[in-house]
Each structure stands twice: as C-alpha cells, then as structure tokens.
C-alpha cells in the first residue's frame, strides 16, 4: 500500500478505535425485535501524536462483542464509516472502499496499532468497570451522561469522551 493511502487508513483506524471506545458510554435505546441493544451518542478523540490528532462524530452501535455494527456520522448526518463484525470476520466500509480482516481485533490492530477491547466496551455500556490493559475508563459521571476513557499505552496516549442522554 502506498504511504498516502496507508496514512488515510491509519487515520480511519484511529477513528474506529475512538468510536468503539467511546461507544461504551452511549444512550441505550430499547431493545430491537431481535433482542439487540442500540447505543447512540457523540464522541471525541484527542491523540497525543506528532502532530496531534483530533476527531469528533456521532455514532450508532448495535450488537454484542461477538457480532455487531458501528456507524460513524458527521454532524450533518453523512455516514463517514461503518464497521461490521461477526465471529469470523470484520470489515471497515468507507464509501466504496472496504477493508476486510479475520477478526475485529485484527482489523483494529492493523489500523491503530492496538486491539480494541470489545468485550470491555460492551461492559462499559452497561456501566460495568472492566480491566483493560493500557486503558482507564472513568464511569463516575455516567449517570450525568458523560464518560471519559484514557489510553496510556501503547503510545501515543489518547483521551476519549462521550456525551449521551442517560
């Protein structure tokens, strides 16, 4: 892959990681007919890289750690990216560009340099503090509709924030 394309893919990986981590504190909608919960909210990510990176988006997250879908949208409602995963695959869709891998961990590791702790994220959505190496989630303001998660390792450090309707 040529360097400009790789930078774009890594940038979207950062967005993906941020979205999955911040989705941990979204609004939970009533269960859908299939028993699947839907979470929505606004998120932002600041990465202490050189140069520093910043991203914000609205999102919808459906499913469970084993299978689900995450949609990232602009403030105007345009879809920026969609991530879909099942027990045997994961794919990132950005317009007509699709990146497929064998698992969500593999996809997020390739895109961001670290696997996203999906099982812990769904626990955080339920308000359960989980032990995730390198990450510290602050759920103390969850009842007020605010969550923060900080990554200390691997570098660069990052701060994720979610605002949602409790």
């Amino acid at each position: 892959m040529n360097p400009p394309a790789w930078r774009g893919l890594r940038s979207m990986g950062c967005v993906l990681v941020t979205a999955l981590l911040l989705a941990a504190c979204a609004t939970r909608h009533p269960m859908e007919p299939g028993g699947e919960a839907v979470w929505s909210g606004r998120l932002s990510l600041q990465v202490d890289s050189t140069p520093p990176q910043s991203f914000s988006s609205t999102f919808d997250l459906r499913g469970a750690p084993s299978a689900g879908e995450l949609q990232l949208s602009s403030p105007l409602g345009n879809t920026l990216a969609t991530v879909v995963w099942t027990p045997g695959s994961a794919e990132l869709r950005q317009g007509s560009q699709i990146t497929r891998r064998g698992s969500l961990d593999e996809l997020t590791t390739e895109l961001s340099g670290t696997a996203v702790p999906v099982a812990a994220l769904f626990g955080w959505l339920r308000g359960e503090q989980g032990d995730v190496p390198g990450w510290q989630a602050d759920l103390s303001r969850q009842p007020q509709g605010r969550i923060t998660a900080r990554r200390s390792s691997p570098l660069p450090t990052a701060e994720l924030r979610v605002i949602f309707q409790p």
Side-chain angles (χ1 to χ4, degrees), residues 77-116:
N78 298 324
T79 299
L80 302 172
T82 302
V83 179
V84 178
W85 66 95
T86 62
S89 69
E91 71 179 34
L92 169 65
R93 301 174 191 155
Q94 295 173 262
S96 62
Q97 184 179 7
I98 299 174
T99 303
R100 290 184 181 96
R101 296 297 177 262
S103 70
L104 187 55
D105 281 352
E106 184 181 339
L107 179 67
T108 59
T109 298
E110 180 178 323
L111 297 175
S112 68
T114 187
V116 175

Side-chain angles (χ1 to χ4, degrees), residues 24-26 124 127 129 137-150 159-166:
C25 307
W124 293 344
Q129 189 69 42
D138 180 356
L139 305 180
S140 64
R141 296 180 59 202
Q142 186 184 27
Q144 293 81 37
R146 297 181 183 275
I147 299 286
T148 302
R150 290 184 178 85
E159 181 174 271
L160 311 165
R161 294 177 182 257
V162 173
I163 298 174
F164 62 100
Q165 294 296 318

